[in-house]
Amino acid sequence: MTQLHPDPAYAALQDLGTAPLWKYYGELFAAEPRSAAVPYLWSYARLRPYLLHFAKTLSLEEAERRVLMLINPGLQDPPATVNSLYAGLQVIVSGETAQAHRHASNAFRFVIEGEGAYTTVNGERIHMRPGDLLLTPGWHWHDHYHEGDEPMIWLDALDYPLVNALEAGFFELYGERAQKVSRPDGISTRQFVHGHLVPAWEIDRGSSSPIGNYPWSEVERAFDAIGDDAEGSAVDGVVLEYTNPWTGGPVLPTMSCRVRRLPPKFHGAAIRRTSSSVHHVIRGQGTAIVGGRRLDWNDKDVFAVPGWTACELINTSETDDTYVFSYSNEPVMRSLGLYREELIERQK
Ligand code: GTQ
């Protein structure tokens, strides 16, 4: 310090709990965001054997949740998938219970494979099938069960990197392994099943969607109803947002969820957004060019698109649609007045 800055006043500054702004200015007020996260792809085919390995060797009594965290090489400490968001792959096997707990972080699950599991959320059992999106809004009790034969695997998403950065994280165990069931199975989904008719007697309207499960069968119905008649987006193809029926807005205050259908040979326009996102390939083959890096995807892979990083989505199949689910922190960015997006030139 003294050698770099012969003026002894610099050493004194640090002891007095101060710093010279003029040394930090460019870093603190960069011309544009530079994400610490890197574009990255997690191969489902390569991770699945390890999920099954730990399903055999590690009990749920030992692990609170049996999850492989998808950690961005640029975001190791604290671990995150992209800025403010986390993704993990969870596995549960026949007869297991993942004990009841709750946390301030919002969470959701996107089911990848298996049949016969359900999660209980604030007293309501919600069954899971591949392609379903199940919400666990912040501070809702939740525990998972599996009654089927084959292992059940799903993608977990949480906003804990944001909640912890804001120093607002709380966590509590329920006390018993399983919470009491106090509501009819699937009622939070059933009473909203018709998107335009909502249960008007429900007066308590929180900041998250009240729907427990957005089933894949409804997504398919939506895409079928649209057929090939919609214009769609040059960036995202026919892209649908899962909505909170009370507001029409995102399902959770911190995370927005979307699903897109990219027709054969689709090559999306390149865009960068201040929001960060995580993508999960439901079905199909393609490539995402993210920050100049080619991420070649297959069925069930997951990839990270850091904020303010160019992204273009390509369906490489000549014959088949590809379906890609994604979630982002766009609601946070929008609510803070920080959301920006910009179409840019295609990358080489
Ligand atoms: O299933 O409740 O991946 O609490 C991370 C934290 C899953 C869960 C995760 C959790 C859960």
Side-chain angles (χ1 to χ4, degrees):
M1 190 81 176
T2 31
Q3 270 163 358
L4 281 176
H5 305 295
D7 185 343
Y10 280 104
L13 285 184
Q14 202 174 357
D15 293 341
L16 292 168
T18 70
L21 176 62
W22 57 94
K23 299 282 178 203
Y24 288 89
Y25 212 84
E27 185 189 323
L28 295 179
F29 300 94
E32 57 180 32
R34 284 185 302 255
S35 184
V38 298
Y40 197 80
L41 180 129
W42 291 267
S43 158
Y44 189 73
R46 292 178 67 181
L47 290 172
R48 188 175 183 276
Y50 291 99
L51 286 164
L52 299 180
H53 166 78
F54 284 108
K56 284 207 183 86
T57 60
L58 180 77
S59 75
L60 278 194
E61 280 68 38
E62 295 166 271
E64 175 78 19
R65 296 290 192 261
R66 194 189 291 107
V67 181
L68 296 183
M69 304 168 75
L70 306 185
I71 303 305
N72 192 292
L75 301 175
Q76 310 259 2
D77 187 25
T81 309
V82 289
N83 183 279
S84 90
L85 301 173
Y86 151 91
L89 293 173
Q90 178 158 179
V91 62
I92 184 167
V93 297
S94 193
E96 284 188 321
T97 304
Q99 69 173 335
H101 69 204
R102 63 178 174 178
H103 33 66
S105 291
N106 292 285
F108 68 80
R109 315 176 202 287
F110 191 90
V111 182
I112 300 178
E113 60 172 287
E115 295 283 343
Y118 62 91
T119 182
T120 307
V121 180
N122 275 5
E124 176 187 337
R125 289 196 294 205
I126 305 171
H127 288 268
M128 314 179 176
R129 289 166 175 277
D132 290 0
L133 170 70
L134 283 87
L135 302 186
T136 313
W139 216 234
H140 283 46
W141 294 111
H142 54 287
D143 34 342
H144 317 306
Y145 300 84
H146 190 26
E147 295 175 340
D149 298 326
E150 298 304 315
M152 189 93 196
I153 301 176
W154 62 75
L155 179 79
D156 282 319
L158 283 90
D159 59 7
Y160 77 73
L162 177 67
V163 173
N164 288 348
L166 295 173
E167 300 179 344
F170 293 86
F171 176 92
E172 201 170 40
L173 288 175
Y174 185 79
E176 292 154 63
R177 257 194 107 62
Q179 64 176 294
K180 283 183 194 63
V181 173
S182 58
R183 278 161 60 88
D185 287 7
I187 186 63
S188 71
T189 304
R190 288 188 279 130
Q191 64 189 17
F192 287 96
V193 77
H194 189 297
H196 308 299
L197 294 168
V198 298
W201 65 89
E202 292 275 8
I203 305 187
D204 184 14
R205 301 178 179 190
S207 56
S208 299
S209 167
I211 297 178
N213 186 358
Y214 293 76
W216 179 249
S217 56
E218 291 293 310
V219 173
E220 278 190 316
R221 264 187 69 209
F223 280 126
D224 284 350
I226 293 167
D228 294 325
D229 297 330
E231 201 178 330
S233 140
V235 172
D236 282 303
V238 179
V239 60
L240 302 174
E241 171 139 351
Y242 297 82
T243 57
N244 175 341
W246 298 137
T247 63
V251 289
L252 294 165
T254 52
M255 293 185 277
S256 132
C257 295
R258 292 185 183 166
V259 57
R260 54 183 71 53
R261 183 183 68 199
L262 308 177
K265 298 188 246 178
F266 178 86
H267 189 145
I271 194 166
R272 57 183 173 180
R273 298 168 163 129
T274 51
S275 53
S276 299
S277 58
V278 178
H279 296 242
H280 162 68
V281 181
I282 300 168
R283 180 160 83 225
Q285 275 97 50
T287 298
I289 310 179
V290 184
R293 240 187 252 187
R294 294 181 72 88
L295 305 176
D296 295 319
W297 80 62
N298 247 300
D299 281 0
K300 303 178 170 56
D301 289 348
V302 180
F303 59 92
V305 179
W308 211 240
T309 303
C311 176
E312 55 196 88
L313 301 175
I314 302 163
N315 179 1
T316 48
S317 169
E318 310 247 312
T319 49
D320 295 324
D321 288 337
T322 181
Y323 291 87
V324 180
F325 171 82
S326 69
Y327 61 104
S328 78
N329 61 4
E330 190 179 314
V332 176
M333 294 309 202
R334 284 196 184 275
S335 63
L336 299 178
L338 297 173
Y339 185 73
R340 289 198 200 191
E341 62 173 46
E342 186 177 277
L343 286 170
I344 51 182
E345 302 256 307
R346 275 195 181 152
Q347 304 155 82
K348 295 274 150 44

